[in-house]
Amino acid sequence: MTSARSDFGELLHTWRDRLSPADAGFAVTRGRRAPGLRREELAQLAGLSVDYILRLEQGRARNPSAQVVGALARALQLSRAERDELYRGAGLLPPQDGTIGTHVPPGIQRLTARLGDVPIGVFAADWTLVWWNGMWSALHGDPSMVPVGERNLARAVFGAGAARTSVRPFRSDRAEGAFAASIVADLKDAVSRYPADARLDRLVHDLRATSEAFAQLWTTATASQHTSDRKTIRHPEIGDISLDCDVLVVPGADLRMVTYTAAAGSDDAGKLDLLRVTNGRAAGTLP
């Protein structure tokens, strides 16, 4: 197992050096010495501490969880084969067929990084948030501050843990209850397609046990197609911001890209610009 741990650290370091900072959404400045990502950049992308990345690379941190390895694989923009190699290097079995995939293709990651003006979050079939860009963090708060197991939209809507407390207040232009019902309908569809997925089974079991609203919807919600929505988010620094929310499906990956945009020249577009400049930490609000 010692060799496996050493291999894991070597893989991590090699693939960190290989990834272009620009492809990961970071500005490339003069005098930059690192050939690829710095440790602090990888830590930011994966939602881990810099010290933990260092200990993993040096083989001093052992037994990384499957969630940690998955986050690192996504942050490093690995192919499926490389992802599986990283899992094996950590002494873990790669994700099996028939379970919900959290692998985000490198092209989708580059797209979210280069569309830096648009808040984008990428979700798995069970509405687990698996990737996001800087503007998503500026609008919704930094997901890396939420425990990995709580980064799920269904837990945010119906749960009682960190996911729910981290969500900023918002309202939808859709009929009351329609948004919550659509999330439950999506989970029911996921269960029918991934009956052997233990994480999904645990998610549904937890929410049925802790949320009366979820339990009721589980027996009544029917499939509903996601359409464009308009949502008003109450941001702690800039106040209410109303944006068009669109859900785009990634073919072949069973992923959803959620985007937020505003019409050019509108007050809300100005607020998005302010978020972009201040990274969500505005000193005051727009008039």
Side-chain angles (χ1 to χ4, degrees):
M1 295 299 289
T2 302
S3 177
R5 303 304 177 211
S6 176
D7 289 347
F8 182 84
E10 291 174 5
L11 288 172
L12 208 58
H13 195 146
T14 298
W15 285 330
R16 177 169 63 82
D17 284 348
R18 181 187 68 179
L19 182 58
S20 164
D23 283 344
F26 295 103
V28 180
T29 58
R30 284 188 176 183
R32 183 184 177 100
R33 295 181 179 179
L37 288 185
R38 299 185 176 105
R39 286 194 184 95
E40 55 267 30
E41 292 168 339
L42 176 58
Q44 178 182 334
L45 291 171
L48 303 170
S49 72
V50 179
D51 178 67
Y52 188 50
I53 297 292
L54 176 61
R55 289 188 288 118
L56 284 172
E57 289 189 352
Q58 294 178 342
R60 293 187 291 115
R62 300 187 175 188
N63 304 313
S65 68
Q67 290 177 323
V68 165
V69 177
L72 288 168
R74 289 189 293 272
L76 291 166
Q77 300 185 14
L78 303 184
S79 67
R80 287 183 182 273
E82 290 168 341
R83 177 205 65 182
D84 290 353
E85 186 177 356
L86 191 65
Y87 271 87
R88 287 190 289 268
L92 298 170
L93 287 174
Q96 302 300 300
D97 292 339
T99 59
I100 291 176
T102 60
H103 178 70
V104 182
I108 298 299
Q109 295 188 42
R110 288 191 291 270
L111 180 65
T112 62
R114 293 174 184 177
L115 292 179
D117 293 349
V118 178
I120 300 176
V122 181
F123 292 82
D126 62 352
W127 282 108
T128 291
L129 180 65
V130 293
W131 196 250
W132 61 89
N133 63 6
M135 277 297 289
W136 181 275
S137 296
L139 178 64
H140 291 291
D142 187 358
S144 68
M145 303 303 293
V146 180
V148 174
E150 286 284 317
R151 296 175 195 168
N152 180 278
L153 185 57
R155 290 193 184 276
V157 175
F158 298 102
R164 189 177 184 97
T165 58
S166 69
V167 172
R168 290 174 175 167
F170 73 93
R171 66 177 183 271
S172 167
D173 280 4
R174 296 174 65 184
E176 185 176 357
F179 173 70
S182 70
I183 297 301
V184 177
D186 283 343
L187 289 185
K188 292 178 72 174
D189 175 66
V191 166
S192 71
R193 293 185 291 115
Y194 300 99
D197 191 289
R199 187 183 67 182
L200 175 59
D201 182 68
R202 184 169 59 252
L203 170 65
V204 172
H205 179 271
D206 289 350
L207 294 181
R208 292 185 74 177
T210 59
S211 171
E212 183 178 344
F214 182 90
Q216 182 176 358
L217 284 169
W218 188 257
T219 63
T220 60
T222 57
S224 57
Q225 184 177 8
H226 281 280
T227 58
S228 296
D229 190 9
R230 186 162 179 82
K231 293 182 180 177
T232 301
I233 299 163
R234 176 152 295 179
H235 192 280
E237 297 292 343
I238 66 171
D240 287 357
I241 177 170
S242 297
L243 302 168
D244 292 322
C245 177
D246 292 281
V247 180
L248 313 176
V249 177
V250 180
D254 208 359
L255 299 171
R256 300 178 180 94
M257 292 179 62
V258 178
T259 67
Y260 287 87
T261 58
S266 65
D267 289 343
D268 293 305
K271 291 181 179 181
L272 271 184
D273 287 339
L274 181 59
L275 283 178
R276 190 176 306 114
V277 171
T278 64
N279 197 29
R281 296 186 294 272
T285 60
L286 286 178

